[in-house]
mmCIF file of all heavy atoms in Angstrom:
data_model
loop_
_atom_site.group_PDB
_atom_site.id
_atom_site.type_symbol
_atom_site.label_atom_id
_atom_site.label_comp_id
_atom_site.label_asym_id
_atom_site.label_seq_id
_atom_site.Cartn_x
_atom_site.Cartn_y
_atom_site.Cartn_z
ATOM 1 N N LEU W 1514 69.798 97.909 86.308
ATOM 2 C CA LEU W 1514 70.566 98.325 85.127
ATOM 3 C C LEU W 1514 71.926 97.771 85.054
ATOM 4 O O LEU W 1514 72.356 97.283 83.989
ATOM 5 C CB LEU W 1514 70.559 99.869 84.972
ATOM 6 C CG LEU W 1514 69.238 100.547 84.490
ATOM 7 C CD1 LEU W 1514 69.421 102.063 84.794
ATOM 8 C CD2 LEU W 1514 69.077 100.273 83.047
ATOM 9 N N ILE W 1515 72.592 97.749 86.163
ATOM 10 C CA ILE W 1515 74.025 97.267 86.151
ATOM 11 C C ILE W 1515 73.965 95.714 86.084
ATOM 12 O O ILE W 1515 74.808 95.208 85.259
ATOM 13 C CB ILE W 1515 74.683 97.684 87.472
ATOM 14 C CG1 ILE W 1515 74.919 99.137 87.505
ATOM 15 C CG2 ILE W 1515 75.961 96.834 87.723
ATOM 16 C CD1 ILE W 1515 75.507 99.665 88.721
ATOM 17 N N THR W 1516 73.031 95.009 86.669
ATOM 18 C CA THR W 1516 72.968 93.607 86.606
ATOM 19 C C THR W 1516 72.691 93.094 85.130
ATOM 20 O O THR W 1516 73.283 92.135 84.749
ATOM 21 C CB THR W 1516 71.947 93.050 87.584
ATOM 22 O OG1 THR W 1516 72.211 93.534 88.836
ATOM 23 C CG2 THR W 1516 71.895 91.537 87.588
ATOM 24 N N TYR W 1517 71.766 93.738 84.478
ATOM 25 C CA TYR W 1517 71.381 93.233 83.226
ATOM 26 C C TYR W 1517 71.947 94.008 81.993
ATOM 27 O O TYR W 1517 71.676 93.744 80.840
ATOM 28 C CB TYR W 1517 69.783 93.178 83.216
ATOM 29 C CG TYR W 1517 69.231 92.235 84.127
ATOM 30 C CD1 TYR W 1517 68.748 92.588 85.354
ATOM 31 C CD2 TYR W 1517 69.394 90.777 83.911
ATOM 32 C CE1 TYR W 1517 68.342 91.677 86.323
ATOM 33 C CE2 TYR W 1517 68.943 89.930 84.823
ATOM 34 C CZ TYR W 1517 68.423 90.377 86.001
ATOM 35 O OH TYR W 1517 67.993 89.472 86.988
ATOM 36 N N GLY W 1518 72.763 95.043 82.277
ATOM 37 C CA GLY W 1518 73.349 95.830 81.201
ATOM 38 C C GLY W 1518 74.555 95.117 80.594
ATOM 39 O O GLY W 1518 75.037 94.031 81.117
ATOM 40 N N GLU W 1519 75.019 95.619 79.495
ATOM 41 C CA GLU W 1519 76.275 95.112 78.808
ATOM 42 C C GLU W 1519 77.431 95.147 79.860
ATOM 43 O O GLU W 1519 77.626 96.166 80.506
ATOM 44 C CB GLU W 1519 76.572 95.999 77.634
ATOM 45 C CG GLU W 1519 77.751 95.651 76.881
ATOM 46 C CD GLU W 1519 77.744 94.304 76.090
ATOM 47 O OE1 GLU W 1519 76.584 93.937 75.754
ATOM 48 O OE2 GLU W 1519 78.792 93.755 75.761
ATOM 49 N N ILE W 1520 78.135 94.031 79.943
ATOM 50 C CA ILE W 1520 79.172 93.920 81.040
ATOM 51 C C ILE W 1520 80.213 94.969 81.055
ATOM 52 O O ILE W 1520 80.488 95.517 82.133
ATOM 53 C CB ILE W 1520 79.873 92.501 80.947
ATOM 54 C CG1 ILE W 1520 80.760 92.290 82.173
ATOM 55 C CG2 ILE W 1520 80.577 92.271 79.647
ATOM 56 C CD1 ILE W 1520 81.106 90.902 82.420
ATOM 57 N N ASP W 1521 80.722 95.446 79.936
ATOM 58 C CA ASP W 1521 81.816 96.440 79.875
ATOM 59 C C ASP W 1521 81.176 97.741 80.412
ATOM 60 O O ASP W 1521 81.876 98.469 81.106
ATOM 61 C CB ASP W 1521 82.368 96.639 78.491
ATOM 62 C CG ASP W 1521 83.083 95.383 78.062
ATOM 63 O OD1 ASP W 1521 83.560 94.599 78.990
ATOM 64 O OD2 ASP W 1521 83.202 95.184 76.870
ATOM 65 N N LEU W 1522 79.958 97.977 79.988
ATOM 66 C CA LEU W 1522 79.381 99.264 80.404
ATOM 67 C C LEU W 1522 79.016 99.255 81.878
ATOM 68 O O LEU W 1522 79.136 100.211 82.619
ATOM 69 C CB LEU W 1522 78.085 99.539 79.538
ATOM 70 C CG LEU W 1522 78.225 99.568 77.975
ATOM 71 C CD1 LEU W 1522 76.898 99.629 77.290
ATOM 72 C CD2 LEU W 1522 79.136 100.692 77.599
ATOM 73 N N ALA W 1523 78.509 98.049 82.329
ATOM 74 C CA ALA W 1523 78.182 97.883 83.717
ATOM 75 C C ALA W 1523 79.413 98.109 84.588
ATOM 76 O O ALA W 1523 79.370 98.791 85.628
ATOM 77 C CB ALA W 1523 77.563 96.570 84.006
ATOM 78 N N MET W 1524 80.488 97.583 84.154
ATOM 79 C CA MET W 1524 81.786 97.759 84.923
ATOM 80 C C MET W 1524 82.224 99.154 84.940
ATOM 81 O O MET W 1524 82.667 99.651 86.036
ATOM 82 C CB MET W 1524 82.881 96.947 84.313
ATOM 83 C CG MET W 1524 82.738 95.422 84.278
ATOM 84 S SD MET W 1524 82.468 94.794 85.972
ATOM 85 C CE MET W 1524 84.152 94.785 86.536
ATOM 86 N N ALA W 1525 82.024 99.915 83.912
ATOM 87 C CA ALA W 1525 82.389 101.387 83.873
ATOM 88 C C ALA W 1525 81.506 102.112 84.826
ATOM 89 O O ALA W 1525 81.960 102.985 85.618
ATOM 90 C CB ALA W 1525 82.352 101.932 82.467
ATOM 91 N N ALA W 1526 80.289 101.808 84.835
ATOM 92 C CA ALA W 1526 79.279 102.419 85.770
ATOM 93 C C ALA W 1526 79.652 102.120 87.220
ATOM 94 O O ALA W 1526 79.584 102.960 88.127
ATOM 95 C CB ALA W 1526 77.904 102.031 85.397
ATOM 96 N N LEU W 1527 79.986 100.871 87.438
ATOM 97 C CA LEU W 1527 80.268 100.415 88.842
ATOM 98 C C LEU W 1527 81.495 101.124 89.355
ATOM 99 O O LEU W 1527 81.589 101.470 90.534
ATOM 100 C CB LEU W 1527 80.542 98.836 88.794
ATOM 101 C CG LEU W 1527 79.399 97.963 89.171
ATOM 102 C CD1 LEU W 1527 79.824 96.511 89.095
ATOM 103 C CD2 LEU W 1527 78.801 98.322 90.559
ATOM 104 N N ALA W 1528 82.541 101.307 88.454
ATOM 105 C CA ALA W 1528 83.734 102.016 88.906
ATOM 106 C C ALA W 1528 83.417 103.420 89.365
ATOM 107 O O ALA W 1528 83.856 103.886 90.313
ATOM 108 C CB ALA W 1528 84.753 102.013 87.760
ATOM 109 N N TRP W 1529 82.464 104.078 88.620
ATOM 110 C CA TRP W 1529 82.178 105.423 89.067
ATOM 111 C C TRP W 1529 81.372 105.429 90.297
ATOM 112 O O TRP W 1529 81.488 106.260 91.161
ATOM 113 C CB TRP W 1529 81.271 106.075 87.889
ATOM 114 C CG TRP W 1529 80.964 107.447 88.198
ATOM 115 C CD1 TRP W 1529 81.656 108.618 87.996
ATOM 116 C CD2 TRP W 1529 79.712 107.912 88.839
ATOM 117 N NE1 TRP W 1529 81.030 109.760 88.355
ATOM 118 C CE2 TRP W 1529 79.786 109.388 88.888
ATOM 119 C CE3 TRP W 1529 78.558 107.360 89.312
ATOM 120 C CZ2 TRP W 1529 78.770 110.125 89.477
ATOM 121 C CZ3 TRP W 1529 77.564 108.067 89.850
ATOM 122 C CH2 TRP W 1529 77.667 109.448 89.948
ATOM 123 N N LEU W 1530 80.471 104.445 90.481
ATOM 124 C CA LEU W 1530 79.722 104.368 91.663
ATOM 125 C C LEU W 1530 80.503 104.127 92.971
ATOM 126 O O LEU W 1530 79.990 104.237 94.103
ATOM 127 C CB LEU W 1530 78.590 103.210 91.538
ATOM 128 C CG LEU W 1530 77.414 103.546 90.636
ATOM 129 C CD1 LEU W 1530 76.519 102.307 90.439
ATOM 130 C CD2 LEU W 1530 76.589 104.712 91.222
ATOM 131 N N SER W 1531 81.733 103.650 92.795
ATOM 132 C CA SER W 1531 82.483 103.362 94.018
ATOM 133 C C SER W 1531 83.007 104.702 94.615
ATOM 134 O O SER W 1531 83.520 104.701 95.772
ATOM 135 C CB SER W 1531 83.729 102.418 93.671
ATOM 136 O OG SER W 1531 84.590 103.120 92.792
ATOM 137 N N GLY W 1532 83.014 105.802 93.931
ATOM 138 C CA GLY W 1532 83.341 107.133 94.566
ATOM 139 C C GLY W 1532 84.836 107.191 94.694
ATOM 140 O O GLY W 1532 85.311 106.993 95.803
ATOM 141 N N SER W 1533 85.500 107.540 93.638
ATOM 142 C CA SER W 1533 87.016 107.645 93.738
ATOM 143 C C SER W 1533 87.566 108.982 93.287
ATOM 144 O O SER W 1533 87.047 109.570 92.309
ATOM 145 C CB SER W 1533 87.622 106.513 92.850
ATOM 146 O OG SER W 1533 88.931 106.647 92.754
ATOM 147 N N LEU W 1534 88.614 109.417 93.942
ATOM 148 C CA LEU W 1534 89.244 110.693 93.619
ATOM 149 C C LEU W 1534 90.533 110.459 92.722
ATOM 150 O O LEU W 1534 91.263 111.410 92.512
ATOM 151 C CB LEU W 1534 89.671 111.427 94.911
ATOM 152 C CG LEU W 1534 88.500 111.956 95.683
ATOM 153 C CD1 LEU W 1534 88.873 111.856 97.144
ATOM 154 C CD2 LEU W 1534 88.292 113.430 95.384
ATOM 155 N N HIS W 1535 90.647 109.275 92.262
ATOM 156 C CA HIS W 1535 91.989 108.878 91.650
ATOM 157 C C HIS W 1535 92.273 109.649 90.267
ATOM 158 O O HIS W 1535 93.447 109.769 89.906
ATOM 159 C CB HIS W 1535 92.260 107.433 91.537
ATOM 160 C CG HIS W 1535 91.604 106.774 90.388
ATOM 161 N ND1 HIS W 1535 90.208 106.797 90.163
ATOM 162 C CD2 HIS W 1535 92.078 105.993 89.373
ATOM 163 C CE1 HIS W 1535 89.999 106.152 89.032
ATOM 164 N NE2 HIS W 1535 91.084 105.630 88.561
ATOM 165 N N THR W 1536 91.248 110.159 89.642
ATOM 166 C CA THR W 1536 91.489 110.845 88.426
ATOM 167 C C THR W 1536 91.499 112.373 88.631
ATOM 168 O O THR W 1536 91.559 113.197 87.693
ATOM 169 C CB THR W 1536 90.403 110.527 87.349
ATOM 170 O OG1 THR W 1536 89.148 110.909 87.851
ATOM 171 C CG2 THR W 1536 90.455 109.061 86.974
ATOM 172 N N ALA W 1537 91.401 112.839 89.903
ATOM 173 C CA ALA W 1537 91.295 114.263 90.228
ATOM 174 C C ALA W 1537 92.478 115.087 89.601
ATOM 175 O O ALA W 1537 93.598 114.708 89.679
ATOM 176 C CB ALA W 1537 91.210 114.441 91.668
ATOM 177 N N GLY W 1538 92.092 116.203 88.986
ATOM 178 C CA GLY W 1538 93.139 117.097 88.385
ATOM 179 C C GLY W 1538 92.857 118.548 88.778
ATOM 180 O O GLY W 1538 91.888 118.804 89.526
ATOM 181 N N TRP W 1539 93.597 119.444 88.136
ATOM 182 C CA TRP W 1539 93.514 120.831 88.433
ATOM 183 C C TRP W 1539 92.173 121.349 88.065
ATOM 184 O O TRP W 1539 91.623 122.307 88.694
ATOM 185 C CB TRP W 1539 94.666 121.623 87.877
ATOM 186 C CG TRP W 1539 95.928 121.425 88.538
ATOM 187 C CD1 TRP W 1539 97.041 120.705 88.153
ATOM 188 C CD2 TRP W 1539 96.247 121.809 89.915
ATOM 189 N NE1 TRP W 1539 98.010 120.695 89.082
ATOM 190 C CE2 TRP W 1539 97.545 121.388 90.202
ATOM 191 C CE3 TRP W 1539 95.533 122.544 90.922
ATOM 192 C CZ2 TRP W 1539 98.210 121.565 91.391
ATOM 193 C CZ3 TRP W 1539 96.206 122.785 92.104
ATOM 194 C CH2 TRP W 1539 97.455 122.296 92.332
ATOM 195 N N GLY W 1540 91.615 120.823 86.963
ATOM 196 C CA GLY W 1540 90.261 121.348 86.535
ATOM 197 C C GLY W 1540 89.256 121.108 87.630
ATOM 198 O O GLY W 1540 88.349 121.915 87.859
ATOM 199 N N ASP W 1541 89.285 119.888 88.232
ATOM 200 C CA ASP W 1541 88.345 119.604 89.315
ATOM 201 C C ASP W 1541 88.573 120.526 90.569
ATOM 202 O O ASP W 1541 87.668 121.007 91.168
ATOM 203 C CB ASP W 1541 88.585 118.136 89.804
ATOM 204 C CG ASP W 1541 88.329 117.149 88.680
ATOM 205 O OD1 ASP W 1541 87.395 117.339 87.935
ATOM 206 O OD2 ASP W 1541 89.199 116.223 88.568
ATOM 207 N N VAL W 1542 89.872 120.869 90.824
ATOM 208 C CA VAL W 1542 90.176 121.671 91.998
ATOM 209 C C VAL W 1542 89.651 123.053 91.744
ATOM 210 O O VAL W 1542 88.994 123.664 92.655
ATOM 211 C CB VAL W 1542 91.708 121.768 92.224
ATOM 212 C CG1 VAL W 1542 92.028 122.828 93.298
ATOM 213 C CG2 VAL W 1542 92.214 120.410 92.587
ATOM 214 N N ARG W 1543 89.734 123.557 90.503
ATOM 215 C CA ARG W 1543 89.247 124.886 90.211
ATOM 216 C C ARG W 1543 87.722 124.975 90.282
ATOM 217 O O ARG W 1543 87.108 125.868 90.952
ATOM 218 C CB ARG W 1543 89.604 125.298 88.818
ATOM 219 C CG ARG W 1543 91.049 125.853 88.640
ATOM 220 C CD ARG W 1543 91.306 126.480 87.313
ATOM 221 N NE ARG W 1543 91.434 125.481 86.311
ATOM 222 C CZ ARG W 1543 92.631 124.934 85.930
ATOM 223 N NH1 ARG W 1543 93.662 125.280 86.581
ATOM 224 N NH2 ARG W 1543 92.673 124.041 85.017
ATOM 225 N N LEU W 1544 87.073 123.886 89.845
ATOM 226 C CA LEU W 1544 85.599 123.828 89.938
ATOM 227 C C LEU W 1544 85.051 123.812 91.392
ATOM 228 O O LEU W 1544 84.135 124.468 91.775
ATOM 229 C CB LEU W 1544 85.087 122.601 89.126
ATOM 230 C CG LEU W 1544 83.566 122.538 88.828
ATOM 231 C CD1 LEU W 1544 83.073 123.733 88.041
ATOM 232 C CD2 LEU W 1544 83.128 121.198 88.178
ATOM 233 N N LEU W 1545 85.671 122.905 92.113
ATOM 234 C CA LEU W 1545 85.328 122.822 93.521
ATOM 235 C C LEU W 1545 85.588 124.087 94.298
ATOM 236 O O LEU W 1545 84.758 124.544 95.148
ATOM 237 C CB LEU W 1545 86.100 121.619 94.215
ATOM 238 C CG LEU W 1545 85.745 120.225 93.719
ATOM 239 C CD1 LEU W 1545 86.866 119.185 94.121
ATOM 240 C CD2 LEU W 1545 84.372 119.740 94.310
ATOM 241 N N GLY W 1546 86.681 124.706 94.028
ATOM 242 C CA GLY W 1546 87.050 125.953 94.671
ATOM 243 C C GLY W 1546 86.102 127.061 94.322
ATOM 244 O O GLY W 1546 85.623 127.773 95.199
ATOM 245 N N LEU W 1547 85.722 127.106 93.065
ATOM 246 C CA LEU W 1547 84.744 128.050 92.656
ATOM 247 C C LEU W 1547 83.352 127.881 93.386
ATOM 248 O O LEU W 1547 82.734 128.871 93.816
ATOM 249 C CB LEU W 1547 84.546 128.015 91.098
ATOM 250 C CG LEU W 1547 83.661 129.097 90.468
ATOM 251 C CD1 LEU W 1547 84.293 130.409 90.554
ATOM 252 C CD2 LEU W 1547 83.347 128.665 89.044
ATOM 253 N N CYS W 1548 82.995 126.627 93.409
ATOM 254 C CA CYS W 1548 81.623 126.228 94.072
ATOM 255 C C CYS W 1548 81.689 126.685 95.503
ATOM 256 O O CYS W 1548 80.733 127.268 96.014
ATOM 257 C CB CYS W 1548 81.503 124.751 93.925
ATOM 258 S SG CYS W 1548 79.985 124.152 94.671
ATOM 259 N N LEU W 1549 82.830 126.367 96.193
ATOM 260 C CA LEU W 1549 82.899 126.809 97.590
ATOM 261 C C LEU W 1549 82.938 128.356 97.789
ATOM 262 O O LEU W 1549 82.268 128.808 98.629
ATOM 263 C CB LEU W 1549 84.276 126.164 98.172
ATOM 264 C CG LEU W 1549 84.270 125.909 99.629
ATOM 265 C CD1 LEU W 1549 83.232 124.970 100.050
ATOM 266 C CD2 LEU W 1549 85.651 125.401 100.088
ATOM 267 N N LEU W 1550 83.634 128.972 96.858
ATOM 268 C CA LEU W 1550 83.754 130.426 96.921
ATOM 269 C C LEU W 1550 82.288 131.055 96.720
ATOM 270 O O LEU W 1550 81.992 132.059 97.332
ATOM 271 C CB LEU W 1550 84.627 130.922 95.834
ATOM 272 C CG LEU W 1550 85.414 132.171 96.036
ATOM 273 C CD1 LEU W 1550 86.394 132.033 97.200
ATOM 274 C CD2 LEU W 1550 86.126 132.527 94.752
ATOM 275 N N LEU W 1551 81.579 130.506 95.868
ATOM 276 C CA LEU W 1551 80.220 131.035 95.560
ATOM 277 C C LEU W 1551 79.207 130.741 96.595
ATOM 278 O O LEU W 1551 78.403 131.524 97.008
ATOM 279 C CB LEU W 1551 79.693 130.623 94.177
ATOM 280 C CG LEU W 1551 80.501 131.086 92.973
ATOM 281 C CD1 LEU W 1551 79.939 130.429 91.676
ATOM 282 C CD2 LEU W 1551 80.362 132.615 92.830
ATOM 283 N N LEU W 1552 79.327 129.566 97.174
ATOM 284 C CA LEU W 1552 78.308 129.047 98.113
ATOM 285 C C LEU W 1552 78.499 129.579 99.580
ATOM 286 O O LEU W 1552 77.627 129.773 100.336
ATOM 287 C CB LEU W 1552 78.182 127.529 98.119
ATOM 288 C CG LEU W 1552 77.695 126.890 96.834
ATOM 289 C CD1 LEU W 1552 77.587 125.409 96.928
ATOM 290 C CD2 LEU W 1552 76.326 127.476 96.426
ATOM 291 N N THR W 1553 79.827 129.806 99.864
ATOM 292 C CA THR W 1553 80.114 130.077 101.304
ATOM 293 C C THR W 1553 79.454 131.370 101.774
ATOM 294 O O THR W 1553 78.826 131.325 102.900
ATOM 295 C CB THR W 1553 81.666 130.242 101.462
ATOM 296 O OG1 THR W 1553 82.238 128.985 101.119
ATOM 297 C CG2 THR W 1553 82.025 130.539 102.972
#
Side-chain angles (χ1 to χ4, degrees):
Chain W
L1514 280 167
I1515 288 174
T1516 305
Y1517 295 102
E1519 178 71 22
I1520 184 166
D1521 295 335
L1522 303 174
M1524 293 303 283
L1527 265 178
W1529 182 85
L1530 284 173
S1531 64
S1533 174
L1534 290 143
H1535 82 303
T1536 59
W1539 286 110
D1541 302 317
V1542 174
R1543 279 192 285 273
L1544 191 63
L1545 290 164
L1547 183 69
C1548 180
L1549 205 61
L1550 207 65
L1551 293 175
L1552 295 181
T1553 302

